[in-house]
Amino acid sequence: MIKAILIFNNHGKPRMSKFYEHYTEDTEQQIIRETFHLVSKRDENVCNFLEGGLLIGGSENKLIYRHYATLYFVFCVDSSESELGILDLIQVFVETLDKCFENVCELDLIFHLDKVHNILAEMVMGGMVLETNMSEIITQVEAQGKMEKSERLQDVFVEFSHQDLLDFYNQMEMIQTQLTR
Amino acid sequence: MSDVVEKTLTALPGLFESQTGAAKITNRLRQLIKSITELTSKHEEENLIKRELSAIKEQVSSPNTTMKQMREIMVRAMYCEMLGYDASFTYIHAIKLAQQGGVLEKRVGYLAVSLFLNEGHELLLLLVNTVLKDLQSTNLIEVCMALTVVAQVFPKDMIPAVLPLVEDKLSHPKEIIRRKAVLALYKFYLIAPNQVQHIHAKFCKALSDKDPGVMASSLHIYLQLIRESPDSYKDLTGSFVTILKQVLGGKLPVDFNYHSVPAPWLQIQLLRILSLLGKEDQSTSELMYEVLDESLRRAEMNHNITYAILYECVKAVYTIHPKAELLEKAARCIGNFVLSPKINLKYLGLKALTYVVQHDAKLALQHQMTIIECLDHSDFTIKRETLELLFRITNAQNVTVIVEKMLDFLRSCNDEHTIIHLIGKVAELAEKFAPDNSWFIQTMNDVFSIGGDLLQQDVPNNFLRLLAEGSESKEEDDQLRLYAVESYLTVLKGHTSHLPQCFLQVMSWVLGEYAHLQESVDRREVIRLLTQLLDQRSVSSETRVWILSALTKIPEGQTDLILDLAESLSSSQDTVLRQQAQELRHLSQDSQLREWVLPRGAPWDGIEVDSSLSFLDGFVSEALAAGAAPYKPPHQRQEELCEDRALNLEPYSFSLPVSLSSCSITDRQSPTLLSVSSGLSGNSAELSQKAGSSTLILEGVKRVWGKDGYLPQKEATAPPVDEPSAAVQPASQQEAAERIEPRPEPSTQNQDKQQLASSLFVGLGVGSSVSLLGKSEAPPPRFRKKPRPHESSSSSGTSKRSSDSSSHSSRNTTDSFLYGSFPEEEPATSISTFDHTPKSTTANGLSQNKDTKEDRHANTSQILGGDMVIVRPSTIQDKHPPSVSSDLTALLPADLKDLPHSDVISLTSDPSLSLSSCRLFRDEALLLVIFISNCTETVIKDVAVQLTCEELKTASLRGNVMDCLEARSTSVCHYALLMDDPHTNVSLTGTVSYQTQPGHTNTLPFSGTLSTADFIRPLVVTTEEYGKLWLSLSHDVKQNLKLLTDAGDPLRTTLNALKDALQLHVVDIIGSEGIVACRLLSGAPCLLHCRVNGAALAMWLRSPHPALPDFILYHCQRALAHH
């Protein structure tokens, strides 16, 4: 069973956190900090598994993580999950995010926290893997997205349309590439 | 990169300026995020979020806020919560949003609810109706959302409300809904297994669903069910094999492919299920050889995910009944893992090896060079896993090298969790394989100084116990003690301020106890060293107490020093220290008293603690006479509290949690703590000493559990002590060295590693067979403890388990009080228990029209209802057809004959012996009688029965060991079984060992299952007592049950049916309501309140035990369903 899914950036700022077991508010923050501390000091060329810290349940649990550019994706799982299986699940999750946001970047996660959660809810439900098939996940998310769109059309004057957002992202990407040069 | 983000964000406002009106609200989130990104310090963040939260507060309470704005606000609140700030005032609004909004608002509302609220949160109650409404909605998305939230946050007591609707969804036309419903039910199963017992058939339907996705999610449930009781699902093996074959054959839609591997996650699940099913079961394993072979073959090495499948496959091959050909292939796969340059695969390879060396130590030998490389790997995780592997292959010959490696690693490690985990293993290895005294003491010194105060309490306790109890030979013991004393004196002479408290405590105890063995050292010197410690500020007050009690024990002669010390401490702030100083002074002045209180070299076994504190009786009665209030046990206090309570929120009230765990705390206390508490009584000095030693013994009992904790991956069935040693061949050092020498390519730079290898892998012989048959005799542990009744005797190996040890081990799990209440011959109790047989319950005036025939019916149905093998009658009963040999009951001892009993059923048999059993229902226990019949014409000797059950307390009452069993005769042995915590079904396992010819021991395993119903006894109370008791009970469960309507009075018929099946006591029936009472043996009561509600029986159960109502409800459901 998956105990928690955490996304934080290179500075340890949480970008998304989802706990499938109950912890107090303070413990949750401590877990995020401890996990960041454990994960961030590991080199790029070591394995993606870490045997659990004290907080998230001791030796029964493992941390499985992947590091993409500015973001760490960490899954805390118990011994009943396959390590490599989860590792690829993270890959599926990221690829799905990439499809849904068209080239996902950290900003997408910040601005669309709720959408990220909704995508995740289609993959993992109550700590169990629900769906690993990317196209199926996207279908479900889009079915919900359609409603959103239809609502958007109604108040097109007050909110941006999807196209606006796209333009915005394109523009932002331009700025980014200029800055990195 | 982050400054890029910041710059991008500063450019944002320009993009948004064109937006006006309602967009302002939308912008609030962006503004919030923007300002968060600009922050430089934690303090600023705090201020900003506080401002933000007060703004949110204002907006949510404003009546003008629209639903859409509310959505926005929720996302902002979610953001604040994620950063760790309390936004609890928005919770109620999240619920409102889910209740009242449109689909989009609902989605945000539900999301916020599942993020904000946990299972215990009281606001969840407000959500029940919304969820019910949405579950019935025609909008698929709403149903999906409701199912998700149900699986995420619903607590146990709210499940009955939604269960029927979720169940209905299993037959929903849309597969996504079915899939979510299956997972929601799985979650229910995890939280409250009894509430979903009745829908197992539907799980089966989900497994055969035409949509592979639904089938895949049902595997979650099956994996869990099979993990719990593999025997009940053996018949599904064929189906799982077929599914796996179809998946491998590419029969699934292409959608399910991931990197062109068909449904890898599904394959992983299936392989896990198969390995659980095939474990220790040859015939089931044979069904899956083919598909496993196929699976190994198909998984070509091209992607991560194929390795994931391979890894599971290898584990499965090694878990099920071995087949040489497959094992060979699997071993080759492990090689691929271990030798892979990819670090993740190497890690898994090591993990696989760790798992496999228990079965085949040879494999570690093959990969020794890789293992040694991994030992020096830069990756912490890899290193740790390597040490785990080495731990498994440790034997008496390589222990020094391996322990050194582990200690090296621990010295450089700063992860608390790893230290605790590994240091325990080092201590275990040291204790088990130590080559000599000096090494052992030295290693333990390292353990204490590295582990320090992180150590689990049982490590020092075990160590001290080992020193104190010693082995058979007194000389050796004294040598060990002497060495310890010497070594500690050296340590104390050095720099002591950095030593952990726990090490100081161990040292002071040993010095106090055994310093006298060392004659060459002056007592004054020892006292000086110990007093020196007292002066250090870093020494905790607990350690000071240890030191003082050590000083108390160092014998006479140095009165002046001691008196000075006692003087200086008698003004200490710490009352405990002061008390100890007083004792010290008294004892040092009165040598006779000291000799009496602290006899030197006294045996350890004889000391007993009066846990009932009866020596305080005089004091108590004096206090009572002086007008003190009598002591009330906690439950009584609660009862009174409850009566004062005016408000009773019925459906979901849990206002009186019963703390069950509180009593276990005392066992964990350190010796000092106990001595402190008893130090308050009059004759404290003596007691503190006694208490100190007896705590060690208590810890000794716990010890088995402690070890289990160290080895989490280990199979539950393997005896804990056997495992590492049995994996090791008894090859001598020379043989092993010979084997290692001819290894190829001894390149020069590898010389060191080769050398290391030969020292690490020494003793892992060539001929070790694949399966562990327990033949190999491991080198005996150096510090074998004296056999004692408290210690598990499983280390003696199955083959030569003497009758003596088996009787010990069957006793060890049971409290001595069990024996107290079951004397071997005691007709008096058997008469008293007879009061509660079915006959007597019919006599309470409720069954007016019952004649003897009815009575007999009651008796038989009770016996059938609690059938011995009850789990899944369809599958198991076939295996053990009840061979009813009524004449066997005639063999029951006279004092038991009158007890109500079940049919005699056959347990197992082989050509020489056959075993049957019968259950007798006693008031305070279940008696299990085992008939052992000799089927041969010869005498069978040394028959010993051993019965184990993890969930129950078992005690052999009589006859589990027999010197000889005459030809064609039957002997009876019986056990008393106690159930403290209810379990639905309890499985018993056991073995009978016997000798047909001298020196040739056979064992015959048997197993059976008991149900909770066997442990339920009627509770005879009056209606008033019932009423009082009802109010005092805190855990309740409600459910509607089937009402039997075939007779005139449905309520009466139903209650009688329940009474017959479960031995309940019907207290009273008034109109359409009935009250019924029962208890778990003589323990926790459970009260049932039944009311006819239309065509159903509304049952409301209450008990002080949190789980008992669920189990009783389950059995009621069964009983009515079978009626």
Side-chain angles (χ1 to χ4, degrees):
Chain A
M1 178 167 160
I2 299 170
K3 307 272 171 178
I5 294 173
L6 310 173
I7 306 178
F8 40 73
N9 70 1
N10 288 350
H11 304 286
K13 272 261 167 260
R15 289 303 175 218
M16 195 213 74
S17 64
K18 175 84 182 163
F19 290 87
Y20 292 98
E21 238 167 46
H22 172 55
Y23 301 95
T24 61
E25 189 78 6
D26 289 340
T27 324
E28 286 183 4
Q29 290 302 315
Q30 238 171 312
I31 289 173
I32 296 175
R33 271 199 302 276
E34 194 196 3
T35 314
F36 172 69
H37 181 71
L38 282 173
V39 167
S40 62
K41 66 178 180 198
R42 289 175 64 80
D43 297 335
E44 285 295 318
N45 58 345
V46 297
C47 67
N48 301 53
F49 315 116
L50 255 177
E51 250 140 271
L54 277 180
L55 274 174
I56 198 143
S59 53
E60 268 291 290
N61 292 349
K62 295 169 281 206
L63 300 178
I64 297 168
Y65 71 95
R66 269 178 186 270
H67 189 194
Y68 296 90
T70 64
L71 290 175
Y72 283 100
F73 287 72
V74 186
F75 279 46
C76 306
V77 302
D78 67 7
S79 58
S80 69
E81 297 287 341
S82 147
E83 288 91 347
L84 288 178
I86 293 290
L87 205 56
D88 274 81
L89 192 71
I90 301 179
Q91 182 68 31
V92 172
F93 181 36
V94 174
E95 279 177 31
T96 315
L97 288 176
D98 204 48
K99 277 257 170 74
C100 290
F101 291 111
E102 317 193 12
N103 282 328
V104 69
C105 71
E106 194 178 337
L107 275 177
D108 291 317
L109 303 193
I110 302 173
F111 286 137
H112 300 283
L113 186 62
D114 51 337
K115 195 169 178 192
V116 178
H117 272 293
N118 286 333
I119 293 171
L120 188 64
E122 293 304 319
M123 289 185 70
V124 180
M125 182 172 156
M128 277 86 61
V129 180
L130 172 70
E131 180 60 74
T132 50
N133 181 356
M134 196 161 72
S135 56
E136 182 66 34
I137 301 167
I138 292 173
T139 322
Q140 290 304 326
V141 173
E142 272 173 2
Q144 297 173 21
K146 261 181 208 152
M147 300 182 319
E148 219 160 339
K149 244 186 217 166
S150 64
E151 195 199 42
R152 277 246 173 77
L153 282 176
Q154 287 164 12
D155 34 49
V156 67
F157 297 110
V158 284
E159 270 191 31
F160 357 76
S161 67
H162 198 68
Q163 190 56 43
D164 281 350
L165 268 180
L166 263 183
D167 291 347
F168 164 63
Y169 284 129
N170 287 340
Q171 207 165 341
M172 201 156 57
E173 219 145 74
M174 239 168 59
I175 300 172
Q176 270 186 359
T177 39
Q178 279 166 4
L179 283 169
T180 40
R181 244 173 225 161
Chain B
M1 185 65 207
S2 79
D3 47 1
V4 175
V5 175
E6 266 166 48
K7 278 173 188 157
T8 332
L9 282 165
T10 42
L12 279 177
L15 288 163
F16 293 132
E17 257 160 25
S18 56
Q19 310 291 326
T20 49
K24 235 184 230 161
I25 290 284
T26 322
N27 280 343
R28 292 297 293 256
L29 173 66
R30 298 204 161 81
Q31 256 157 22
L32 167 67
I33 292 163
K34 188 185 146 217
S35 15
I36 288 177
T37 329
E38 280 168 353
L39 293 174
T40 49
S41 72
K42 185 82 189 158
H43 183 66
E44 278 181 36
E45 183 189 285
E46 246 164 60
N47 283 335
L48 178 84
I49 301 279
K50 264 189 203 139
R51 272 204 309 275
E52 177 66 22
L53 283 174
S54 57
I56 293 179
K57 208 172 208 167
E58 209 173 280
Q59 282 174 18
V60 289
S61 48
S62 147
N64 298 328
T65 316
T66 62
M67 276 293 168
K68 194 142 106 226
Q69 289 166 336
M70 205 54 132
R71 221 163 81 199
E72 171 71 32
I73 291 168
M74 274 308 140
V75 180
R76 269 155 64 202
M78 266 151 62
Y79 206 84
C80 295
E81 281 257 320
M82 186 177 74
L83 293 175
Y85 296 88
D86 178 51
S88 49
F89 63 89
T90 54
Y91 294 176
I92 186 73
H93 297 283
I95 290 180
K96 258 200 226 157
L97 201 59
Q99 278 171 347
Q100 298 161 1
V103 181
L104 279 177
E105 284 80 29
K106 238 182 216 315
R107 188 166 65 159
V108 178
Y110 273 134
L111 178 62
V113 165
S114 71
L115 285 175
F116 291 160
L117 303 185
N118 61 62
E119 286 171 6
H121 206 287
E122 51 194 359
L123 283 181
L124 277 179
L125 275 177
L126 300 176
L127 203 66
V128 177
N129 272 326
T130 318
V131 167
L132 284 177
K133 203 178 78 204
D134 286 336
L135 280 175
Q136 289 160 326
S137 162
T138 48
N139 186 339
L140 289 184
I141 291 169
E142 283 182 348
V143 182
C144 275
M145 288 188 299
L147 284 173
T148 310
V149 85
V150 155
Q152 174 84 15
V153 292
F154 260 45
K156 194 175 172 178
D157 52 340
M158 277 157 61
I159 291 173
V162 291
L163 187 59
L165 283 174
V166 177
E167 249 183 275
D168 285 346
K169 294 286 169 284
L170 285 178
S171 44
H172 198 277
K174 198 81 178 145
E175 71 274 351
I176 179 75
I177 307 273
R178 291 206 297 277
R179 195 177 325 157
K180 289 198 171 179
V182 168
L183 279 191
L185 287 175
Y186 172 57
K187 193 65 196 292
F188 292 168
Y189 177 78
L190 290 180
I191 307 173
N194 298 302
Q195 302 193 7
V196 291
Q197 289 278 6
H198 59 291
I199 39 179
H200 280 201
K202 292 196 178 158
F203 291 154
C204 201
K205 221 181 101 201
L207 182 66
S208 49
D209 197 284
K210 61 181 184 299
D211 180 70
V214 182
M215 184 267 290
S217 45
S218 76
L219 291 184
H220 283 291
I221 298 178
Y222 277 101
L223 186 60
Q224 181 68 25
L225 289 174
I226 291 171
R227 194 176 290 140
E228 280 163 14
S229 69
D231 289 336
S232 325
Y233 297 91
K234 296 276 185 196
D235 52 337
L236 286 175
T237 314
S239 320
F240 290 123
V241 168
T242 325
I243 297 173
L244 185 54
K245 262 187 198 152
Q246 283 173 349
V247 174
L248 283 173
K251 298 272 160 56
L252 289 186
V254 195
D255 274 6
F256 283 87
N257 285 9
Y258 176 78
H259 288 262
S260 70
V261 181
W265 285 278
L266 185 59
Q267 288 193 42
I268 292 173
Q269 286 280 63
L270 283 168
L271 285 168
R272 293 199 158 190
I273 290 180
L274 287 183
S275 73
L276 287 174
L277 284 172
K279 191 172 164 186
E280 288 162 4
D281 183 341
Q282 186 170 357
S283 56
T284 315
S285 297
E286 273 162 8
L287 293 174
M288 52 186 87
Y289 287 146
E290 191 192 330
V291 74
L292 286 179
D293 191 37
E294 168 110 0
S295 200
L296 279 177
R297 203 158 42 78
R298 287 247 178 188
E300 295 128 25
M301 310 282 172
N302 55 5
H303 190 265
N304 237 349
I305 200 74
T306 51
Y307 282 101
I309 300 172
L310 261 187
Y311 176 71
E312 288 308 323
C313 208
V314 167
K315 267 186 95 166
V317 167
Y318 273 95
T319 312
I320 62 171
H321 189 85
K323 186 186 181 196
E325 189 192 332
L326 277 179
L327 287 176
E328 202 180 296
K329 281 184 187 167
R332 226 174 306 138
C333 281
I334 294 181
N336 285 336
F337 273 100
V338 175
L339 297 173
S340 164
K342 285 188 189 161
I343 190 90
N344 283 341
L345 301 186
K346 209 177 255 292
Y347 170 79
L348 282 183
L350 287 172
K351 255 190 121 75
L353 269 184
T354 312
Y355 183 76
V356 161
V357 282
Q358 300 163 31
H359 305 262
D360 186 1
K362 237 180 359 184
L363 262 179
L365 218 54
Q366 273 174 25
H367 298 293
Q368 45 178 317
M369 290 317 286
T370 326
I371 294 173
I372 284 160
E373 271 162 26
C374 289
L375 209 51
D376 295 326
H377 202 281
S378 58
D379 188 350
F380 179 80
T381 312
I382 296 271
K383 255 189 192 169
R384 197 188 134 145
E385 195 56 44
T386 316
L387 289 177
E388 190 81 38
L389 170 61
L390 288 180
F391 169 73
R392 294 291 168 91
I393 59 167
T394 308
N395 57 26
Q397 286 142 33
N398 58 16
V399 65
T400 47
V401 194
I402 288 180
V403 164
E404 199 189 310
K405 285 279 162 201
M406 288 170 112
L407 288 175
D408 279 350
F409 174 79
L410 283 171
R411 281 190 195 104
S412 64
C413 162
N414 49 14
D415 177 45
E416 265 186 35
H417 181 250
T418 315
I419 293 180
I420 297 174
H421 183 76
L422 267 184
I423 203 82
K425 297 197 163 174
V426 175
E428 198 188 327
L429 289 180
E431 195 178 298
K432 210 185 283 168
F433 298 116
D436 56 55
N437 287 337
S438 62
W439 183 87
F440 177 64
I441 297 293
Q442 210 56 53
T443 309
M444 287 313 283
N445 286 356
D446 284 337
V447 165
F448 288 128
S449 46
I450 294 173
D453 298 316
L454 295 175
L455 274 182
Q456 273 163 354
Q457 194 56 43
D458 52 351
V459 176
N461 284 349
N462 277 341
F463 174 70
L464 292 185
R465 201 181 128 216
L466 194 119
L467 279 184
E469 283 167 7
S471 55
E472 270 84 22
S473 132
K474 178 153 170 35
E475 237 167 76
E476 269 179 36
D477 293 344
D478 281 350
Q479 259 179 359
L480 179 67
R481 291 167 188 160
L482 190 62
Y483 192 86
V485 170
E486 274 169 17
S487 137
Y488 294 157
L489 285 177
T490 332
V491 172
L492 286 182
K493 274 176 196 158
H495 204 57
T496 51
S497 57
H498 65 280
L499 293 175
Q501 303 300 313
C502 132
F503 192 20
L504 290 178
Q505 290 167 7
V506 167
M507 285 197 287
S508 48
W509 189 86
V510 172
L511 287 180
E513 205 69 23
Y514 300 114
H516 63 89
L517 292 173
Q518 174 61 288
E519 267 129 26
S520 64
V521 175
D522 187 8
R523 295 286 134 69
R524 297 188 85 88
E525 177 70 7
V526 180
I527 295 176
R528 194 184 61 78
L529 285 171
L530 286 174
T531 16
Q532 216 172 37
L533 287 180
L534 282 177
D535 297 337
Q536 279 180 20
R537 199 175 301 156
S538 57
V539 174
S540 74
S541 59
E542 195 195 340
T543 313
R544 280 166 205 270
V545 177
W546 281 79
I547 295 170
L548 267 189
S549 66
L551 285 170
T552 321
K553 283 183 269 184
I554 293 174
E556 68 280 357
Q558 269 63 36
T559 335
D560 50 336
L561 271 179
I562 297 285
L563 282 181
D564 283 354
L565 180 72
E567 201 57 51
S568 66
L569 282 175
S570 55
S571 57
S572 161
Q573 295 261 322
D574 191 331
T575 48
V576 182
L577 271 184
R578 225 156 51 209
Q579 162 97 23
Q580 282 263 347
Q582 282 296 336
E583 287 168 14
L584 182 59
R585 207 179 50 189
H586 276 294
L587 288 175
S588 61
Q589 281 167 335
D590 188 343
S591 60
Q592 216 174 349
L593 179 64
R594 177 217 292 278
E595 196 51 43
W596 185 63
V597 171
L598 301 165
R600 191 191 302 167
W604 286 88
D605 305 333
I607 303 176
E608 269 174 32
V609 171
D610 182 2
S611 61
S612 66
L613 305 181
S614 61
F615 56 88
L616 284 173
D617 284 353
F619 177 77
V620 171
S621 55
E622 246 172 62
L624 283 176
Y631 173 74
K632 282 179 196 154
H635 63 87
Q636 199 182 337
R637 263 175 277 164
Q638 241 164 21
E639 211 169 295
E640 279 163 22
L641 206 86
C642 177
E643 278 163 15
D644 295 344
R645 213 166 46 129
L647 256 179
N648 189 13
L649 292 167
E650 293 212 312
Y652 303 115
S653 69
F654 277 99
S655 48
L656 292 172
V658 178
S659 68
L660 290 162
S661 58
S662 61
C663 53
S664 66
I665 297 166
T666 39
D667 290 354
R668 280 234 155 258
Q669 270 173 354
S670 68
T672 15
L673 280 177
L674 253 187
S675 81
V676 168
S677 58
S678 59
L680 298 170
S681 66
N683 44 358
S684 58
E686 179 192 13
L687 244 164
S688 70
Q689 187 47 36
K690 278 186 170 183
S693 54
S694 76
T695 328
L696 286 177
I697 295 170
L698 283 176
E699 286 291 338
V701 180
K702 277 199 164 292
R703 196 171 156 269
V704 191
W705 295 103
K707 279 201 175 157
D708 253 347
Y710 292 144
L711 306 169
Q713 284 110 334
K714 194 173 57 187
E715 274 80 275
T717 49
V721 192
D722 270 349
E723 195 179 291
S725 55
V728 152
Q729 274 303 103
S732 76
Q733 186 152 4
Q734 265 181 337
E735 269 176 19
E738 274 166 30
R739 185 171 146 80
I740 283 150
E741 272 164 26
R743 277 194 57 79
E745 70 254 355
S747 68
T748 41
Q749 82 249 40
N750 271 356
Q751 285 286 322
D752 285 354
K753 287 180 176 176
Q754 293 274 350
Q755 207 168 358
L756 183 57
S758 59
S759 50
L760 276 180
F761 296 95
V762 100
L764 300 176
V766 203
S768 64
S769 57
V770 171
S771 63
L772 291 176
L773 297 171
K775 293 181 293 203
S776 54
E777 202 60 43
R782 177 165 171 82
F783 301 107
R784 196 193 286 280
K785 287 174 191 134
K786 273 185 201 161
R788 328 162 20 142
H790 281 297
E791 196 165 0
S792 162
S793 61
S794 53
S795 61
S796 58
T798 43
S799 56
K800 53 166 195 164
R801 179 170 282 133
S802 67
S803 52
D804 187 38
S805 76
S806 71
S807 75
H808 271 312
S809 60
S810 67
R811 272 170 184 246
N812 67 34
T813 46
T814 322
D815 289 341
S816 53
F817 86 88
L818 205 54
Y819 291 94
S821 56
F822 294 106
E824 294 232 333
E825 307 285 340
E826 196 194 36
T829 30
S830 73
I831 289 166
S832 72
T833 50
F834 191 59
D835 287 343
H836 298 304
T837 58
K839 259 182 215 152
S840 72
T841 49
T842 56
N844 61 18
L846 287 166
S847 43
Q848 298 108 333
N849 56 348
K850 277 212 168 80
D851 52 11
T852 36
K853 192 174 130 204
E854 184 76 36
D855 211 332
R856 206 180 310 129
H857 168 70
N859 215 336
T860 46
S861 79
Q862 171 222 333
I863 288 155
L864 288 174
D867 200 88
M868 176 74 180
V869 277
I870 202 163
V871 224
R872 258 152 221 293
S874 55
T875 52
I876 292 191
Q877 238 162 15
D878 300 343
K879 282 186 202 158
H880 302 294
S883 65
V884 185
S885 38
S886 55
D887 53 318
L888 279 177
T889 50
L891 292 166
L892 284 173
D895 54 327
L896 301 178
K897 261 193 186 126
D898 295 337
L899 287 174
H901 62 80
S902 68
D903 287 338
V904 178
I905 52 163
S906 155
L907 280 178
T908 180
S909 63
D910 69 359
S912 357
L913 279 186
S914 82
L915 260 66
S916 1
S917 77
C918 166
R919 283 156 298 133
L920 280 76
F921 305 101
R922 232 186 198 182
D923 203 12
E924 64 289 342
L926 180 75
L927 299 191
L928 183 70
V929 177
I930 299 179
F931 301 98
I932 308 159
S933 311
N934 184 352
C935 319
T936 59
E937 299 298 336
T938 52
V939 178
I940 293 179
K941 292 216 157 148
D942 288 336
V943 182
V945 184
Q946 166 131 4
L947 186 75
T948 50
C949 178
E950 277 178 21
E951 291 97 342
L952 298 178
K953 286 185 173 174
T954 56
S956 161
L957 294 186
R958 181 163 46 195
N960 69 335
V961 179
M962 279 156 286
D963 287 339
C964 62
L965 186 59
E966 295 297 332
R968 295 275 164 211
S969 71
T970 299
S971 168
V972 179
C973 75
H974 56 268
Y975 284 87
L977 307 177
L978 287 189
M979 183 184 263
D980 280 349
D981 286 318
H983 302 269
T984 339
N985 292 303
V986 179
S987 50
L988 285 166
T989 51
T991 48
V992 187
S993 60
Y994 60 93
Q995 296 194 347
T996 39
Q997 299 144 7
H1000 186 259
T1001 309
N1002 294 318
T1003 51
L1004 176 61
F1006 64 88
S1007 63
T1009 314
L1010 299 168
S1011 90
T1012 324
D1014 292 331
F1015 296 90
I1016 294 172
R1017 302 285 179 271
L1019 174 66
V1020 183
V1021 288
T1022 63
T1023 313
E1024 290 84 58
E1025 284 166 348
Y1026 183 96
K1028 263 192 196 151
L1029 198 55
W1030 177 265
L1031 286 176
S1032 69
L1033 301 179
S1034 49
H1035 294 277
D1036 60 0
V1037 170
K1038 283 179 174 176
Q1039 189 142 339
N1040 283 352
L1041 297 183
K1042 192 172 113 184
L1043 192 62
L1044 301 175
T1045 45
D1046 44 345
D1049 185 346
L1051 179 63
R1052 216 169 275 275
T1053 323
T1054 316
L1055 289 187
N1056 282 335
L1058 288 178
K1059 186 183 75 183
D1060 295 346
L1062 284 165
Q1063 304 204 40
L1064 307 175
H1065 171 67
V1066 181
V1067 182
D1068 207 348
I1069 295 181
I1070 309 156
S1072 64
E1073 297 183 38
I1075 50 177
V1076 182
C1078 67
R1079 66 201 307 179
L1080 187 66
L1081 296 177
S1082 41
C1086 181
L1087 304 183
L1088 296 82
H1089 177 267
C1090 313
R1091 194 166 48 81
V1092 178
N1093 183 11
L1097 183 70
M1099 180 93 81
W1100 186 358
L1101 299 97
R1102 275 196 173 188
S1103 169
H1105 194 289
L1108 188 60
D1110 279 340
F1111 290 103
I1112 292 186
L1113 188 64
Y1114 167 59
H1115 285 290
C1116 290
Q1117 271 173 348
R1118 279 185 59 96
L1120 293 179
H1122 284 241
H1123 201 79

